[in-house]
Amino acid sequence: MNKNLLEGLGASLQGQLLSDELTKALYATDASVYRKIPLAVTFPETTDDIKKIIHFASKNGVGIIPRTAGTSLAGQCVGDGIVVDVSKNFTKIVSLDVDKKQVTVQPGVIRDELNQYLAPHGLFFGPNTSTANRCMIGGMVGNNSSGTTSIQYGVTRDKIISMKTILSDGSDAEFTSLSVDEFQKKLKGYDFEASIYNSIYKELSNKEIREEIEAQFPKPEIHRRNTGYAVDELLHNAVFSENGADFNMCQLLSGSEGTLAFTTEITLQLDDLPPAYAAMVVTHYHTLEDCLLDVAPVMEHSLHLCEMMDKVILDCTKNNREQLKNRFFVEGDPAALLMLELKANTQEDLDVQINSLQATVAKSGLSYANPVLYGADINKAIELRKAGLGLLGNMVGDKKAVACIEDTAVAVEDLSAFIAEFTAIMKGYNQSAVYYAHAGAGELHLRPILDLKKKTDVGLFRDITTDVAKLTKKYKGSFSGEHGDGIVRAEFIPLMIGEKNYELLKRVKSYFDPKNIFNPGKIVDAFPMDESLRYEIDREEPEVETLLDFSDSQGILRAAEKCNGSGDCRKTESMKGAMCPSYHATRNEKHTTRGRANALREFLTNSDKANKFDQKELKEVFDYCLSCKACSSECPSNVDIATLKAEFLYQYQEENGYSLRSKLFAHNTKFNKLGSKVSGLTNAMYDSSLIGGLLKKTANVAPQRSLPKVSSFNFDKHLQLYKKQQPAKKRKVVLYIDEFSHYLDIELGKDAIELLVKLGYDVQLFYAESGRTYLSKGFLKQAKKLALENIPKLKKFADEQLPVIGLEPSAVLTFRDEYKRFVKDTETTNAIALNSYLLEEFLAQEIQKGELTSNLFTKEAKTVKIHSHCHQKSLSNQKVTFDVLNLPENYSVSIISSGCCGMAGSFGYEKEHYEVSMQIGELKLFPAVRKSPEDTIISANGTSCRHQIYDGTKRKALHPVTILKNALIN
């Protein structure tokens, strides 16, 4: 298309229009296997913007692809037209009517955030997808989403009262419930909306058409049915049947994937919050068949959730740090398990329900373990189940569990027989499959494991999908239960509902969208399901050399390809977790883990440069990455952007040179060591507005930041002084004096020595530079040199069973993380990793062993609030800090739900990053600190975190070591 035309459209909008290569690459994929490069991406701010885009598309014959979170599994959000992303600006909760239990929202409102808003009113929106913490109501309407709770609360279509839309001619139309008389009035109109009503009325008034729909569409008792347009739902109203409900076109629009109209507001019917008392019975099975046989009998109970996970998914949870903690309830090695949730208004009623369900399970005798979960443990189990899609990205190599037949739904009574035939089909193809999800609703997310980089497997992709479509038709099931038709299943709609009904759907599309501008290629006149795939078929796999070892993912390209687009990184600061702090501040797709992984995949795959990392677009996407490592644990697919960024920076700078500022930060320890020799003079210069200001300006450091003070101290002498005062009574330990404690936080090193010696430990000091400053700026050769120097020393400590205890998380946890990528001696690096501890981790273990008790600490009452370093959250856990700070028995300790502080080493010092750094701090951490009374102790174990807290709140935070040292009884 003529570039001037797009620029003209962009100039006319209040919002943005972007057509640069990076943005188009970011929006070329969703969570499906497809890739289509769009013409442009728009971010409209007003409905007038949307009308202008529609007018432009109509005039120029261009498609419009509506998009919210972009987590579609069937390819609904990809296309070669103009992507219209409403996730950034159409995010308002417009109104709430508590009496009617109805809420009106714009399409970019996130489902879980809507329920946070509704909870104080005793209400919630029932449909609950696995992506609920980032998926948006507009997308849920487009797909007619349902999720885990549908067996109790129905699907999205059931909840829609009305929808404000913009039609393909640019006119406004609000669709809502209409009585017969109101419907007749609509037929008498002369506008485009009236013509749509007339056309639909004419079609469905035809008895033969109605009979064909009823004969061919999925069984009506399957409430998860999304095959094509829901014309079958329109038959059950007073216009076309006696004693029917009011007519509501929203039933047709729900599940239409943005192909009929552009939605700008949705009014939803809400439910009362679920009963307060809950329990989950988790039944374990030796075989998949036994598991499926139990579904029908357990569904006789009033379950709020009946979800299945198979061994493939459960094994994937073992390789994810976050989900490993959530599989605590799994007993043995089950082939499959069912999660059965019960709810009640009283504990007595809940106990009755539990006993009744357990009796049913015992009667079948098919399960071998049936633990019962309560309280927070239920949420952990649900999180494990919700992570299923992303966890499949953990499969190393090019074979992946592919979404194509994963949305089949049949009647519950047909499920066991259907799965038996499905398994036979898979065996015929010599295929293993993944089985998980909504067993209680007759829907399992079945996925064959295929390599879509190979022509043979792409052939299987089509063949398996075709055979399973025929099987689903045999059981009169729905081929699209909740994930939609998109690209992957739309081709099979004629098979599923018959040619006559398919022709009806094409006519329906033409009534709403005669020029085919709304999301073309979806539902009708479908794109081929085996073309426009994410990867070129039978390509020569790009060879990408790296300094870091990515062999655990079979190379850096496959490490990026682990991202399947599930979009967990698009959750906002309102949800738990730290991923992804830059996205929390900017709401920009390029600042997500997904955006960075997609960009890296795109440019490493398609670049013809000798150094494939030499791309300005990659520099742009990695620029706002804080290297917090939240993604390495919170991303179900374990996409570790911090490590990918370190490799990118190294490769890019090798080609383009290293800036003065990067050199200053990377070699910071050398300068601190020099400056510490004349620390008084150095610090005076740093404090000087003239010299300090000149240093900041030269290094492009934010003028608002204070430069950290350097110091010099003889820690060995200090240690000997305390050892003389208190002989050791306990085991020998190695206290690691890292580069930060050595020259910047000397009080922390002194406090650690005093604490450990007074607790009775025989302390030995180990001085070393971890390499963290080099890693953060991509100076990998220098970081590797340090690692190779430190590894023999650390191995000696491990061999002697002397635990290495560190104070600064970003330093000591390097031994546990990045050092494994510098050498291939996994036995050595694993031994070092297991022997390296945060001081809080070590003390927490000592508490568990009974070596530490509260009688050594003050009885004084104090309040402590904890902010933990991001690397601790990712590579360890916060509970160890909580446990050790509870040693003083009258300390009231809590963990701030704070995410990343925003400083991230040098990131927050850098002039161009200062503003976003402070924005991140203001999201959660700074307000929590400010709300705390002045006598509340703020704990922060990261040196950058303490600096950021001071700069943002003027409150001095203390390391847990200092807090415990101060609490010791002398």
Side-chain angles (χ1 to χ4, degrees), residues 146-443:
S146 44
T148 57
T149 57
S150 69
I151 56 177
Q152 196 70 234
Y153 294 104
V155 300
T156 300
R157 180 180 288 129
D158 303 328
K159 305 299 180 183
I160 301 174
I161 300 297
S162 65
M163 294 168 62
K164 285 186 179 179
T165 68
I166 303 171
L167 301 177
S168 62
D169 69 339
S171 62
D172 296 307
E174 181 171 4
F175 295 103
T176 189
S177 294
L178 301 174
S179 66
V180 174
D181 288 344
E182 289 169 329
F183 185 88
Q184 291 298 325
K185 286 180 182 176
K186 286 284 186 185
L187 298 181
K188 294 175 182 176
Y190 295 98
D191 57 7
F192 187 47
E193 179 188 355
S195 74
I196 293 172
Y197 275 102
N198 275 284
S199 298
I200 297 295
Y201 179 67
K202 182 180 178 182
E203 293 282 5
L204 299 185
S205 294
N206 186 313
K207 183 181 178 184
E208 290 182 6
I209 288 177
R210 294 201 303 273
E211 289 175 348
E212 184 70 11
I213 291 170
E214 290 171 347
Q216 296 287 348
F217 266 66
K219 291 180 179 180
E221 62 264 34
I222 303 170
H223 66 274
R224 291 166 176 263
R225 58 188 199 285
N226 251 13
T227 302
Y229 298 130
V231 289
D232 56 332
E233 287 288 341
L234 294 184
L235 301 184
H236 311 300
N237 62 76
V239 175
F240 300 110
S241 64
E242 293 183 13
N243 303 318
D246 286 349
F247 181 96
N248 195 332
M249 196 73 81
C250 296
Q251 293 181 311
L252 185 71
L253 293 176
S254 181
S256 66
E257 303 178 7
T259 62
L260 300 180
F262 201 106
T263 304
T264 59
E265 275 188 21
I266 305 135
T267 298
L268 301 167
Q269 188 64 50
L270 306 171
D271 288 290
D272 292 324
L273 284 170
Y277 294 86
M280 178 181 284
V281 180
V282 185
T283 53
H284 293 52
Y285 303 88
H286 290 302
T287 70
L288 179 70
E289 292 74 19
D290 285 349
C291 178
L292 293 169
L293 286 171
D294 255 359
V295 173
V298 299
M299 280 300 294
E300 295 295 320
H301 298 264
S302 183
L303 299 178
H304 279 246
L305 183 144
C306 177
E307 297 288 300
M308 192 188 99
M309 295 181 76
D310 78 346
K311 178 176 168 56
V312 177
I313 291 272
L314 289 169
D315 285 351
C316 285
T317 67
K318 296 176 182 177
N319 301 322
N320 180 273
R321 284 193 293 269
E322 191 69 19
Q323 297 309 325
L324 187 61
K325 296 179 282 189
N326 289 337
R327 55 170 287 135
F328 64 93
F329 60 89
V330 179
E331 299 184 19
D333 187 24
L337 53 78
L338 290 175
M339 298 176 174
L340 311 172
E341 188 177 20
L342 299 163
K343 296 197 175 190
N345 290 313
T346 66
Q347 185 62 49
E348 292 75 15
D349 183 25
L350 182 64
D351 290 339
V352 169
Q353 290 189 51
I354 294 170
N355 292 335
S356 177
L357 177 60
Q358 287 178 324
T360 298
V361 172
K363 184 178 179 181
S364 80
L366 297 171
S367 59
Y368 71 83
N370 309 295
V372 183
L373 311 182
Y374 297 92
D377 285 347
I378 296 175
N379 293 329
K380 291 176 184 177
I382 291 173
E383 285 302 310
L384 187 79
R385 156 62 194 92
K386 284 187 171 186
L389 165 63
L391 288 167
L392 293 173
N394 277 332
M395 301 175 77
V396 176
D398 291 334
K399 281 188 174 290
K400 301 292 183 186
V402 175
C404 55
I405 54 172
E406 88 295 346
D407 207 23
T408 56
V410 296
V412 173
E413 62 270 18
D414 294 332
L415 183 61
S416 182
F418 172 83
I419 293 298
E421 291 196 54
F422 168 81
T423 302
I425 290 173
M426 291 296 102
K427 285 181 180 177
Y429 285 107
N430 196 27
Q431 265 286 316
S432 299
V434 179
Y435 303 75
Y436 75 105
H438 319 296
E443 177 175 17

Side-chain angles (χ1 to χ4, degrees), residues 611-675:
N611 182 343
K612 293 178 181 294
F613 295 91
D614 183 18
Q615 309 283 345
K616 62 180 178 59
E617 292 88 355
L618 291 180
K619 187 173 187 297
E620 185 178 339
V621 294
F622 283 116
D623 185 50
Y624 269 33
C625 170
L626 284 80
S627 297
C628 68
K629 288 193 172 288
C631 51
S632 69
S633 60
E634 293 179 34
C635 169
S637 301
N638 290 359
V639 178
D640 182 357
I641 291 296
T643 304
L644 298 177
K645 178 186 178 180
E647 183 69 45
F648 160 74
L649 286 174
Y650 165 70
Q651 299 283 355
Y652 185 86
Q653 291 171 138
E654 284 290 294
E655 193 73 29
N656 295 281
Y658 295 78
S659 71
L660 172 62
R661 184 176 69 186
S662 290
K663 291 175 182 176
L664 290 172
F665 280 126
H667 295 290
N668 185 251
T669 303
K670 290 181 179 177
F671 299 126
N672 289 338
K673 184 177 181 179
L674 286 171

Side-chain angles (χ1 to χ4, degrees), residues 623-624 661 700 702 907 909-916:
D623 185 50
Y624 269 33
R661 184 176 69 186
N700 208 19
F907 181 88
Y909 280 92
E910 293 164 353
K911 187 176 180 180
E912 71 275 19
H913 295 145
Y914 174 78
E915 186 176 339
V916 75

Side-chain angles (χ1 to χ4, degrees), residues 712-723:
S712 178
F713 187 74
N714 190 329
F715 289 102
D716 292 307
K717 188 174 180 180
H718 190 70
L719 174 61
Q720 293 310 314
L721 176 66
Y722 275 95
K723 277 190 171 184

Side-chain angles (χ1 to χ4, degrees), residues 482-556:
E482 62 172 340
H483 296 163
D485 296 312
I487 298 173
V488 75
R489 283 177 288 273
E491 252 193 83
F492 300 93
I493 293 174
L495 168 66
M496 302 308 302
I497 64 173
E499 287 291 345
K500 288 182 179 179
N501 283 325
Y502 181 63
E503 290 301 318
L504 170 63
L505 300 196
K506 289 173 73 173
R507 294 196 297 274
V508 169
K509 166 72 169 174
S510 71
Y511 301 146
F512 278 88
D513 184 19
K515 292 187 178 181
N516 194 29
I517 61 169
F518 286 143
N519 214 2
K522 322 295 163 57
I523 298 187
V524 299
D525 297 319
F527 295 132
M529 61 88 68
D530 50 3
E531 295 180 12
S532 300
L533 298 173
R534 190 175 286 206
Y535 307 112
E536 181 185 346
I537 299 170
D538 285 342
R539 75 185 189 190
E540 184 178 337
E541 200 65 22
E543 292 293 329
V544 184
E545 295 294 326
T546 59
L547 189 148
L548 294 173
D549 178 17
F550 290 94
S551 59
D552 56 343
S553 298
Q554 297 182 7
I556 191 170

